[in-house]
PDB file of all heavy atoms in Angstrom:
ATOM      1  N   MET Z1109      86.009 146.726  80.613  1.00 73.00           N
ATOM      2  CA  MET Z1109      86.296 147.099  79.210  1.00 73.00           C
ATOM      3  C   MET Z1109      86.149 145.901  78.271  1.00 73.00           C
ATOM      4  O   MET Z1109      86.542 144.792  78.618  1.00 73.00           O
ATOM      5  CB  MET Z1109      87.727 147.642  79.093  1.00 73.00           C
ATOM      6  CG  MET Z1109      87.820 149.136  79.306  1.00 73.00           C
ATOM      7  SD  MET Z1109      87.005 150.004  77.956  1.00 73.00           S
ATOM      8  CE  MET Z1109      86.879 151.632  78.689  1.00 73.00           C
ATOM      9  N   GLU Z1110      85.671 146.183  77.101  1.00 86.00           N
ATOM     10  CA  GLU Z1110      85.482 145.097  76.142  1.00 86.00           C
ATOM     11  C   GLU Z1110      86.834 144.667  75.561  1.00 86.00           C
ATOM     12  O   GLU Z1110      87.673 145.498  75.235  1.00 86.00           O
ATOM     13  CB  GLU Z1110      84.565 145.569  74.997  1.00 86.00           C
ATOM     14  CG  GLU Z1110      84.040 144.417  74.167  1.00 86.00           C
ATOM     15  CD  GLU Z1110      83.509 144.875  72.806  1.00 86.00           C
ATOM     16  OE1 GLU Z1110      83.588 146.078  72.499  1.00 86.00           O
ATOM     17  OE2 GLU Z1110      83.041 144.017  72.064  1.00 86.00           O
ATOM     18  N   LYS Z1111      86.991 143.353  75.458  1.00 93.00           N
ATOM     19  CA  LYS Z1111      88.193 142.850  74.775  1.00 93.00           C
ATOM     20  C   LYS Z1111      87.919 142.912  73.279  1.00 93.00           C
ATOM     21  O   LYS Z1111      86.962 142.282  72.808  1.00 93.00           O
ATOM     22  CB  LYS Z1111      88.445 141.396  75.169  1.00 93.00           C
ATOM     23  CG  LYS Z1111      88.943 141.228  76.586  1.00 93.00           C
ATOM     24  CD  LYS Z1111      89.131 139.753  76.911  1.00 93.00           C
ATOM     25  CE  LYS Z1111      89.505 139.591  78.371  1.00 93.00           C
ATOM     26  NZ  LYS Z1111      89.487 138.177  78.791  1.00 93.00           N
ATOM     27  N   ILE Z1112      88.721 143.663  72.549  1.00 94.00           N
ATOM     28  CA  ILE Z1112      88.422 143.703  71.121  1.00 94.00           C
ATOM     29  C   ILE Z1112      89.029 142.514  70.388  1.00 94.00           C
ATOM     30  O   ILE Z1112      88.505 142.083  69.382  1.00 94.00           O
ATOM     31  CB  ILE Z1112      88.814 145.034  70.449  1.00 94.00           C
ATOM     32  CG1 ILE Z1112      90.217 145.452  70.812  1.00 94.00           C
ATOM     33  CG2 ILE Z1112      87.845 146.123  70.776  1.00 94.00           C
ATOM     34  CD1 ILE Z1112      90.572 146.740  70.120  1.00 94.00           C
ATOM     35  N   ILE Z1113      90.110 142.011  70.917  1.00 95.00           N
ATOM     36  CA  ILE Z1113      90.660 140.803  70.295  1.00 95.00           C
ATOM     37  C   ILE Z1113      91.312 139.931  71.363  1.00 95.00           C
ATOM     38  O   ILE Z1113      91.839 140.443  72.357  1.00 95.00           O
ATOM     39  CB  ILE Z1113      91.661 141.155  69.170  1.00 95.00           C
ATOM     40  CG1 ILE Z1113      91.971 139.921  68.329  1.00 95.00           C
ATOM     41  CG2 ILE Z1113      92.932 141.767  69.734  1.00 95.00           C
ATOM     42  CD1 ILE Z1113      92.563 140.236  66.986  1.00 95.00           C
ATOM     43  N   GLU Z1114      91.231 138.639  71.160  1.00 96.00           N
ATOM     44  CA  GLU Z1114      91.830 137.731  72.126  1.00 96.00           C
ATOM     45  C   GLU Z1114      92.355 136.482  71.422  1.00 96.00           C
ATOM     46  O   GLU Z1114      91.688 135.919  70.552  1.00 96.00           O
ATOM     47  CB  GLU Z1114      90.780 137.330  73.171  1.00 96.00           C
ATOM     48  CG  GLU Z1114      91.365 136.472  74.265  1.00 96.00           C
ATOM     49  CD  GLU Z1114      90.388 136.222  75.415  1.00 96.00           C
ATOM     50  OE1 GLU Z1114      89.190 136.501  75.252  1.00 96.00           O
ATOM     51  OE2 GLU Z1114      90.850 135.712  76.451  1.00 96.00           O
ATOM     52  N   LEU Z1115      93.557 136.088  71.820  1.00 96.00           N
ATOM     53  CA  LEU Z1115      94.097 134.797  71.366  1.00 96.00           C
ATOM     54  C   LEU Z1115      94.053 133.870  72.576  1.00 96.00           C
ATOM     55  O   LEU Z1115      94.435 134.268  73.675  1.00 96.00           O
ATOM     56  CB  LEU Z1115      95.562 134.935  70.957  1.00 96.00           C
ATOM     57  CG  LEU Z1115      95.931 135.593  69.639  1.00 96.00           C
ATOM     58  CD1 LEU Z1115      97.420 135.392  69.389  1.00 96.00           C
ATOM     59  CD2 LEU Z1115      95.139 135.015  68.496  1.00 96.00           C
ATOM     60  N   LYS Z1116      93.575 132.633  72.365  1.00 96.00           N
ATOM     61  CA  LYS Z1116      93.522 131.685  73.483  1.00 96.00           C
ATOM     62  C   LYS Z1116      94.302 130.432  73.147  1.00 96.00           C
ATOM     63  O   LYS Z1116      93.965 129.735  72.184  1.00 96.00           O
ATOM     64  CB  LYS Z1116      92.064 131.311  73.760  1.00 96.00           C
ATOM     65  CG  LYS Z1116      91.455 132.105  74.891  1.00 96.00           C
ATOM     66  CD  LYS Z1116      90.123 131.491  75.298  1.00 96.00           C
ATOM     67  CE  LYS Z1116      89.426 132.361  76.319  1.00 96.00           C
ATOM     68  NZ  LYS Z1116      87.990 132.035  76.382  1.00 96.00           N
ATOM     69  N   ASN Z1117      95.345 130.178  73.920  1.00 97.00           N
ATOM     70  CA  ASN Z1117      96.147 128.951  73.789  1.00 97.00           C
ATOM     71  C   ASN Z1117      96.556 128.654  72.352  1.00 97.00           C
ATOM     72  O   ASN Z1117      96.360 127.555  71.859  1.00 97.00           O
ATOM     73  CB  ASN Z1117      95.373 127.759  74.344  1.00 97.00           C
ATOM     74  CG  ASN Z1117      95.073 127.947  75.807  1.00 97.00           C
ATOM     75  OD1 ASN Z1117      95.922 128.411  76.566  1.00 97.00           O
ATOM     76  ND2 ASN Z1117      93.850 127.628  76.208  1.00 97.00           N
ATOM     77  N   VAL Z1118      97.114 129.663  71.708  1.00 97.00           N
ATOM     78  CA  VAL Z1118      97.467 129.488  70.301  1.00 97.00           C
ATOM     79  C   VAL Z1118      98.858 128.871  70.161  1.00 97.00           C
ATOM     80  O   VAL Z1118      99.826 129.306  70.779  1.00 97.00           O
ATOM     81  CB  VAL Z1118      97.386 130.834  69.559  1.00 97.00           C
ATOM     82  CG1 VAL Z1118      98.100 130.746  68.214  1.00 97.00           C
ATOM     83  CG2 VAL Z1118      95.929 131.234  69.365  1.00 97.00           C
ATOM     84  N   THR Z1119      98.912 127.830  69.336  1.00 97.00           N
ATOM     85  CA  THR Z1119     100.174 127.188  69.014  1.00 97.00           C
ATOM     86  C   THR Z1119     100.433 127.336  67.527  1.00 97.00           C
ATOM     87  O   THR Z1119      99.507 127.188  66.716  1.00 97.00           O
ATOM     88  CB  THR Z1119     100.117 125.691  69.388  1.00 97.00           C
ATOM     89  OG1 THR Z1119      99.913 125.591  70.802  1.00 97.00           O
ATOM     90  CG2 THR Z1119     101.403 124.975  69.015  1.00 97.00           C
TER      91      THR Z1119
END
Side-chain angles (χ1 to χ4, degrees):
Chain Z
M1109 271 293 165
E1110 195 198 2
K1111 288 178 185 171
I1112 48 179
I1113 193 161
E1114 184 172 13
L1115 284 189
K1116 262 192 186 161
N1117 299 319
V1118 165
T1119 298

